[in-house]
Amino acid sequence: MSVLIPAAIVIGTVVGMELVAYLAHRYLMHGIGWGWHKSHHEETEGWWERNDLYAVVFAVLSLGLMWLDPGHTGLFWLGVGMATYGALYFVAHDGLVHRRWPFHWVPRRGYMQRLYQAHRLHHAVEGKDGCVSFGFLYAPPVRVLKQRLQENRVKGAATDPAPEASLPDGR
């Protein structure tokens, strides 16, 4: 198998996983799976939160695909793509946005700032209803998210912001 085919499978899987993650976050985690995800929207103590079980499930699926395909004919590379997405998620979401690492950096411009702000706006409401921005590696423009958040508040779908969800510099 040419190196281009595995690379295409991995890259395609990473892109596809953003759609899977968006749908899972929007409809599963903020729906029937709220029991696990709720811990992510609340103050928790320690390094573990129940929401981390979602990462464990996806890691088991990824490793399972790799294990099922020892000849590296296709499923293996799908699993590698899922693992790559998981690593990117870990860096961007857990590290950058939620500061679950020992160092802190708040981006001041560009893509990383938009990603950071979008996820902070996701946490700008209490509870599971009225949230915006469900992707992890893609974020709509912040002005669009703020407008949607305001519309959700007017409709009564969103409650007052959680204090920890404010953006740096009041943005």
Side-chain angles (χ1 to χ4, degrees):
M1 184 183 302
S2 159
V3 71
L4 294 177
I5 293 172
I9 293 171
V10 170
I11 292 168
T13 301
V14 170
V15 171
M17 281 302 299
E18 179 65 5
L19 176 62
V20 169
Y22 173 91
L23 294 171
H25 190 193
R26 173 93 189 231
Y27 298 107
L28 174 66
M29 295 176 191
H30 280 255
I32 61 170
W34 180 248
W36 284 7
H37 190 60
K38 182 179 179 183
S39 67
H40 184 63
H41 285 263
E42 297 176 335
E43 195 68 34
T44 56
E45 293 199 20
W47 62 272
W48 176 264
E49 56 188 45
R50 183 177 248 184
N51 180 68
D52 294 333
L53 290 170
Y54 285 112
V56 171
V57 167
F58 279 108
V60 167
L61 289 172
S62 172
L63 291 171
L65 288 171
M66 288 186 267
W67 180 77
L68 286 171
D69 186 13
H72 302 180
T73 59
L75 289 179
F76 179 86
W77 298 111
L78 192 67
V80 169
M82 288 178 70
T84 301
Y85 183 86
L88 293 170
Y89 167 88
F90 177 71
V91 168
H93 181 265
D94 288 351
L96 174 68
V97 177
H98 289 289
R99 300 177 181 166
R100 293 175 79 177
W101 296 355
F103 61 88
H104 305 296
W105 172 62
V106 177
R108 298 292 177 201
R109 64 178 179 265
Y111 163 77
M112 295 302 282
Q113 180 189 37
R114 184 165 107 180
L115 191 65
Y116 178 84
Q117 289 179 329
H119 198 74
R120 300 301 288 171
L121 286 170
H122 174 76
H123 286 270
V125 300
E126 288 189 34
K128 66 179 184 172
D129 299 320
C131 292
V132 296
S133 189
F134 292 90
F136 293 113
L137 299 180
Y138 169 76
V142 172
R143 64 177 168 67
V144 171
L145 295 174
K146 286 182 177 182
Q147 180 180 354
R148 285 186 198 153
L149 192 57
Q150 184 59 36
E151 290 168 0
N152 289 348
R153 287 195 175 114
V154 168
K155 289 190 282 188
T159 57
D160 289 338
E164 70 278 0
S166 64
L167 295 173
D169 303 333
R171 288 179 266 162

